[in-house]
């Protein structure tokens, strides 16, 4: 009785993996507590809510301290009531008064407090089922764009995922083997090689196509040696390339300038030449029609909207109307609270749009997204390949699989592509 009632709430400013400030929140009930923190993006969509409040974290927390007492006495089981309180306390559409840093960390801390009070894992609190499917990690291997500050390839991410791993341990290991082999190959091909970007992906100046060749070579090596099969993914993050005034995509380090039709051809050629199965944000965030063109050509592959949707259900509805994508990136801090996020996920799944849960480039040690991906059957979890704040999520998947034993399997959607 009353075990799940909120008795205390505490916020503090902490640092993310880039060294930027964010918020960690602790919510306590009579018997347990929940702690969560909020990550931050660098290549953000203009449709995301604000992460950091306009008046700054310290002042916003002072304001929040005045009103947060009202959460005490609420039932942590009632996530909707807690989230509605938070949204009302902020009072703006884009969370400019409190920011996702405060609102999301509190929202997730509440879910964790509820789960811990009931002594159930977070994924079970998100969705109570008898059987779960673990996501396959989609690992960032070579990174560029805004995450490398112009010191690497122009596109943001070249990713891989393993299609024939027997369990989550193997799936994580497979990506790491490719990551390590890519470093070896790059060391022999790129005299400047050695650096990593914000997500711990390798950076290189050899260009997009040569980087893809390196990835292919590493994949072949790992396949021949260990028997793991892979598919390649790309996050173009095309909004960062888009010049709205000139209506062209600018690949600055390779000095390539493409109009929209040329971008469609460039992306299609990459898909065919390198058998790219996963492609995220190939066009800028308002280009619903070009996404549709691409999906129309490659219905079998995953065409995914990140900046296009910003995890926002209204944006997703626009995408469904236009038949723009068959996948949507799910990043909790893009919308700022769990209730809104769950609404987007449910709408996506009801309309056969595959949700792909993702980290941000500025991460904390919070492992919540591993639970989220497991709960909603996200076939892939985009959370890097190595690095403390990335590996923490991957290691959490290992713990989840151990907990579930035979009640979990790797997502079979991925096996289809083996
Ligand atoms: P971000 O990048 O976290 O810097 O926004 C990740 C992505 O675009 O997928
Ligand atoms: Zn993205």
């Amino acid at each position: 009785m009353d075990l799940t009632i909120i008795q205390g709430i505490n916020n503090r400013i902490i640092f993310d993996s880039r060294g930027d400030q964010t918020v960690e929140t602790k919510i306590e009930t009579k018997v347990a507590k929940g702690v969560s923190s909020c990550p931050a993006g660098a290549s953000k969509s203009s449709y995301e809510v604000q992460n950091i409040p306009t008046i700054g974290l310290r002042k916003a927390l002072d304001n929040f301290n005045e009103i947060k007492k009202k959460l005490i006495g609420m039932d942590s089981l009632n996530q909707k009531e807690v989230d509605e309180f938070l949204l009302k306390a902020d009072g703006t559409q884009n969370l400019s008064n409190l920011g996702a840093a405060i609102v999301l960390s509190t929202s997730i801390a509440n879910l964790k407090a509820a789960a811990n009070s009931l002594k159930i894992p977070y994924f079970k609190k998100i969705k109570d089922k008898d059987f779960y499917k673990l996501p396959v990690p989609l690992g960032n291997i070579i990174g560029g764009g805004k995450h490398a500050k112009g010191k690497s390839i122009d596109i943001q991410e070249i990713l891989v995922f393993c299609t024939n791993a027997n369990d989550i341990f193997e799936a994580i290991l497979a990506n790491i083997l490719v990551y390590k082999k890519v470093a070896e190959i790059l060391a022999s091909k790129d005299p400047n090689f050695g650096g990593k970007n914000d997500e711990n992906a390798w950076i290189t100046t050899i260009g997009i196509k040569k980087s893809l060749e390196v990835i292919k070579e590493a994949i072949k090596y790992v396949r021949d040696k260990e028997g793991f099969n892979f598919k390649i993914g790309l996050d173009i993050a095309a909004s960062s390339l888009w010049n709205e005034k000139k209506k062209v995509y600018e690949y600055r380090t390779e000095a390539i300038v493409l109009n929209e039709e040329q971008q469609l051809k460039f992306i299609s050629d990459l898909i065919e030449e390198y058998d790219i199965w996963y492609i995220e944000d190939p066009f800028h965030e308002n280009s619903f029609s070009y996404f549709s063109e691409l999906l129309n050509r490659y219905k079998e592959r995953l065409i995914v909207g990140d900046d296009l949707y910003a995890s926002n259900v209204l944006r997703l509805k626009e995408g469904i109307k236009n038949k723009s994508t068959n996948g949507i990136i799910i990043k909790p801090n893009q919308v700022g609270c769990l209730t809104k996020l769950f609404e987007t996920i449910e709408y996506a799944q009801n309309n056969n749009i595959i949700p792909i849960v993702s980290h941000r480039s500025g991460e904390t040690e919070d492992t919540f997204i591993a639970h989220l991906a497991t709960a909603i059957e996200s076939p892939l979890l985009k959370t890097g390949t190595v690095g403390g704040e990335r590996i923490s999520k991957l290691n959490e998947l290992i713990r989840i699989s151990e907990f579930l034993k035979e009640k979990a399997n790797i997502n079979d959607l991925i096996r289809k592509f083996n």
Side-chain angles (χ1 to χ4, degrees):
M1 225 180 60
D2 291 348
L3 295 184
T4 54
I5 301 298
I6 298 175
Q7 290 200 337
I9 165 165
N10 208 336
N11 314 83
R12 62 170 64 91
I13 299 180
I14 61 164
F15 295 96
D16 70 17
S17 56
R18 257 195 292 259
D20 293 331
Q21 297 181 18
T22 186
V23 171
E24 175 179 87
T25 301
K26 176 171 79 176
I27 288 196
E28 285 172 294
T29 66
K30 204 174 199 169
V31 292
K33 63 178 182 184
V35 181
S36 185
S37 48
C38 179
S43 82
K44 292 188 276 195
S45 165
S46 358
Y47 300 97
E48 295 186 22
V49 299
Q50 230 169 285
N51 222 44
I52 301 297
T54 312
I55 56 169
L57 278 182
R58 197 65 73 179
K59 275 197 178 147
L61 273 180
D62 287 345
N63 292 343
F64 188 56
N65 283 338
E66 294 296 311
I67 48 177
K68 71 184 184 190
K69 298 174 198 88
K70 291 187 182 152
L71 282 167
I72 293 171
M74 279 187 199
D75 192 341
S76 61
L77 283 181
N78 197 341
Q79 185 70 38
K80 214 167 167 187
E81 190 190 6
V82 169
D83 287 345
E84 270 165 13
F85 168 80
L86 292 168
L87 295 178
K88 217 163 140 210
D90 178 275
T92 66
Q93 277 297 315
N94 65 342
L95 302 189
S96 55
N97 287 331
L98 293 174
I102 295 176
V103 176
L104 181 74
S105 64
T106 309
S107 179
I108 298 178
N110 178 71
L111 183 137
K112 289 186 175 182
N116 289 338
S117 302
L118 299 174
K119 294 194 169 66
I120 57 170
Y122 307 140
F123 61 83
K124 205 166 179 66
K125 177 68 184 68
I126 299 168
K127 206 156 196 177
D128 191 9
K129 297 184 289 188
D130 291 331
F131 194 87
Y132 291 84
K133 287 177 185 169
L134 289 170
V136 170
L138 177 60
N140 191 358
I141 307 289
I142 296 180
K146 282 195 175 161
H147 295 166
K149 300 184 182 64
K151 300 267 188 285
S152 184
I153 52 173
D154 292 301
I155 63 171
Q156 193 173 279
E157 294 162 38
I158 303 180
L159 310 121
V160 301
F161 59 94
C162 179
T163 55
N164 67 337
N166 287 310
D167 55 30
I168 193 68
F169 185 89
E170 275 190 14
I172 297 167
L173 173 68
N175 287 1
I176 292 174
L177 292 174
V178 171
Y179 179 84
K180 289 183 174 174
K181 189 66 195 172
V182 162
E184 259 177 66
I185 304 170
L186 279 177
S188 69
K189 298 207 163 150
D190 178 355
N192 301 316
F193 176 68
K196 293 177 179 186
N197 76 354
D198 286 353
E199 295 186 353
N200 278 293
W202 301 117
I203 61 178
T204 176
T205 49
I206 62 173
I208 297 167
K209 290 200 168 186
K210 284 199 177 131
S211 294
L212 278 161
E213 293 297 339
V214 169
I215 295 272
K216 265 176 74 174
E217 191 183 329
I219 283 176
K220 186 181 177 309
Y221 174 86
V222 176
R223 190 191 61 210
D224 292 349
K225 195 156 182 269
E226 308 284 346
F228 292 131
N229 297 334
F230 297 90
K231 289 286 185 215
I232 303 175
L234 297 179
D235 182 1
I236 307 292
S239 286
S240 336
L241 305 173
W242 179 243
N243 183 327
E244 174 64 27
K245 260 200 194 131
K246 297 184 180 160
K247 307 278 179 217
V248 290
Y249 292 94
E250 296 173 331
Y251 294 72
R252 290 174 195 96
T253 67
E254 296 200 59
I256 303 169
V257 179
L258 304 176
N259 67 25
E260 292 185 86
E261 274 306 312
Q262 291 166 330
Q263 173 81 350
L264 177 63
K265 182 171 185 317
F266 178 68
I267 297 294
S268 304
D269 289 350
L270 286 181
I271 289 177
E272 308 225 349
E273 198 173 336
Y274 298 97
D275 192 23
I276 309 292
W277 186 79
Y278 171 98
I279 180 137
E280 178 180 332
D281 282 354
F283 306 101
H284 68 80
E285 65 187 16
N286 292 311
S287 187
F288 284 103
S289 59
Y290 276 93
F291 272 87
S292 319
E293 285 283 329
L294 193 73
L295 179 64
N296 198 31
R297 287 186 191 179
Y298 301 105
K299 291 196 181 71
E300 291 301 308
R301 307 185 186 229
L302 255 179
I303 313 291
V304 180
D306 172 12
D307 292 349
L308 181 74
Y309 296 133
S311 303
N312 179 310
V313 76
L314 295 176
R315 301 280 303 169
L316 174 62
K317 283 178 184 174
E318 190 69 21
I320 291 171
K321 215 169 66 197
N322 284 285
K323 295 193 170 60
S324 293
T325 73
N326 50 11
I328 176 174
I329 283 285
I330 296 293
K331 292 172 171 167
N333 77 327
Q334 285 182 326
V335 281
C337 78
L338 287 179
T339 301
K340 283 192 164 190
L341 191 78
F342 293 154
E343 193 189 339
T344 305
I345 293 167
E346 194 180 326
Y347 197 85
Q349 290 182 322
N350 288 341
N351 288 280
N352 293 321
I353 305 289
I354 296 175
I356 314 279
V357 174
S358 167
H359 62 169
R360 300 305 307 248
S361 50
E363 264 298 334
T364 71
E365 61 270 45
D366 196 324
T367 61
F368 179 75
I369 57 169
H371 289 263
L372 179 64
T374 304
I376 67 162
E377 290 191 13
S378 173
L380 296 164
L381 173 62
K382 212 184 156 202
T383 187
T385 308
V386 295
E389 72 283 1
R390 321 279 153 196
I391 216 82
S392 64
K393 281 82 167 158
L394 297 168
N395 284 341
E396 186 72 356
L397 287 177
I398 295 174
R399 295 184 200 102
I400 292 173
S401 79
E402 202 175 292
F403 179 89
L404 286 167
K405 297 193 188 81
E406 72 283 358
K407 285 190 179 156
N409 224 326
I410 266 195
N411 205 297
D412 34 24
L413 191 92
I414 296 311
R415 288 188 194 283
K416 271 203 321 215
F417 299 94
N418 197 14

